Amino acid sequence: MPKKWIEFHVISSPQMNHDLERSHFTEIWPYVTSLHLRKKESTYEEMEKLIHRLLELKIPANKLTLNRQTKLALTYQTGALHVGVQEVSLALKNSLYKEGHTDSRTKRAIRLGVSVHSLEEAKIAEEEGADYIFYGHMYSSHSKPGMPPKTLSSLQEICGVINLPVIAIGGITPSRVEELMLSGASGIAVISGILHSEDPLEAVYTYRKELEKYGDIKE
């Protein structure tokens, strides 16, 4: 019986977008599902410059996920576009499909990921045609100060209803991988646990060791 595919996403922090050496992107990309470039205030030109630099560093475009930058995602054929649940319909209207196909996720040019914060939003994302969802934040997180985290029971409920990969995000450490996976998650997304660690590559190995107990990492 084949193992379950597990997704392992690493999300950039704003300072890392301008410090590629310290981010260790060039070292970690082969060992993760996707590197997310997330900086909401970036202009089109700034993000395009960053993409060019990453491609120059031999990081494949299909290993990159862009946040809300639909035109750039299509232009450079990145692995995925990630949006909020309120934006999913607009993203699809902007033609994420290969020419001549508009009826199936399998015919889409790139993957579409959607961030959700409730079962209701998860259902909307699935109905609209998302390929995967992020759910969180699962634990106290520097990126969500003062906001209460989600519960494992709510994660379990969503995973039991939604027929999409549900990726847990927010404050995830290697020691927390087990309870997330046992709650039904199809993977994790990490920011500070990797990019703010002393050795990002070693941190990636540590997370992978925990994830591989539950399936093969989607790369």
Side-chain angles (χ1 to χ4, degrees):
M1 182 177 178
K3 284 187 175 182
K4 178 182 179 181
W5 284 110
I6 304 298
E7 300 203 24
F8 183 16
H9 298 247
V10 176
I11 302 177
S12 69
S13 58
Q15 61 267 41
M16 291 301 174
N17 285 345
H18 299 288
D19 191 352
L20 295 179
E21 293 302 320
R22 193 157 62 90
S23 75
H24 290 248
F25 284 169
T26 56
E27 296 177 10
I28 67 177
W29 73 259
Y31 308 106
V32 303
T33 303
S34 187
L35 294 171
H36 288 238
L37 305 182
R38 184 176 70 173
K39 191 180 180 188
K40 296 179 182 178
E41 65 272 23
S42 290
T43 65
Y44 181 96
E45 291 74 19
E46 289 171 338
M47 189 58 68
E48 185 170 38
K49 184 177 179 180
L50 176 59
I51 294 168
H52 274 228
R53 179 59 181 146
L54 293 171
L55 296 178
E56 288 174 356
L57 293 171
K58 308 301 182 185
I59 298 176
N62 64 9
K63 278 286 186 174
L64 303 178
T65 295
L66 299 189
N67 188 274
R68 294 180 167 87
Q69 294 276 7
T70 305
K71 184 176 179 181
L72 283 172
L74 289 168
T75 298
Y76 290 93
Q77 288 294 285
T78 58
L81 171 72
H82 197 93
V83 299
V85 69
Q86 301 87 352
E87 302 150 329
V88 61
S89 293
L90 178 59
L92 290 172
K93 288 177 183 177
N94 283 335
S95 186
L96 292 182
Y97 296 99
K98 295 178 181 177
E99 185 176 354
H101 298 283
T102 58
D103 60 345
S104 171
R105 292 183 178 91
T106 62
K107 302 301 183 183
R108 188 174 294 154
I110 60 177
R111 297 180 84 198
L112 177 64
V114 181
S115 292
V116 305
H117 303 92
S118 67
L119 177 58
E120 180 182 2
E121 289 185 351
K123 288 179 178 179
I124 292 171
E126 183 174 37
E127 290 169 1
E128 291 283 1
D131 293 295
Y132 67 88
I133 61 175
F134 275 10
Y135 179 67
H137 59 289
M138 293 307 306
Y139 307 95
S140 296
S141 169
H142 294 301
S143 61
K144 302 288 184 180
M147 296 179 64
K150 305 300 182 183
T151 63
L152 290 173
S153 60
S154 68
L155 172 65
Q156 188 173 25
E157 181 183 25
I158 287 176
C159 293
V161 173
I162 301 301
N163 295 310
L164 297 174
V166 179
I167 313 303
I169 184 172
I172 299 171
T173 62
S175 65
R176 289 166 169 165
V177 168
E178 179 179 17
E179 60 186 15
L180 294 170
M181 302 308 294
L182 293 178
S183 296
S186 294
I188 62 172
V190 182
I191 307 174
S192 60
I194 291 173
L195 297 182
H196 296 170
S197 66
E198 291 185 4
D199 188 337
L201 182 58
E202 184 60 33
V204 165
Y205 289 153
T206 301
Y207 279 98
R208 278 185 65 100
K209 183 178 179 180
E210 295 302 316
L211 289 168
E212 286 170 343
K213 295 176 182 178
Y214 304 94
D216 295 326
I217 307 296
K218 181 179 176 64
E219 297 178 350

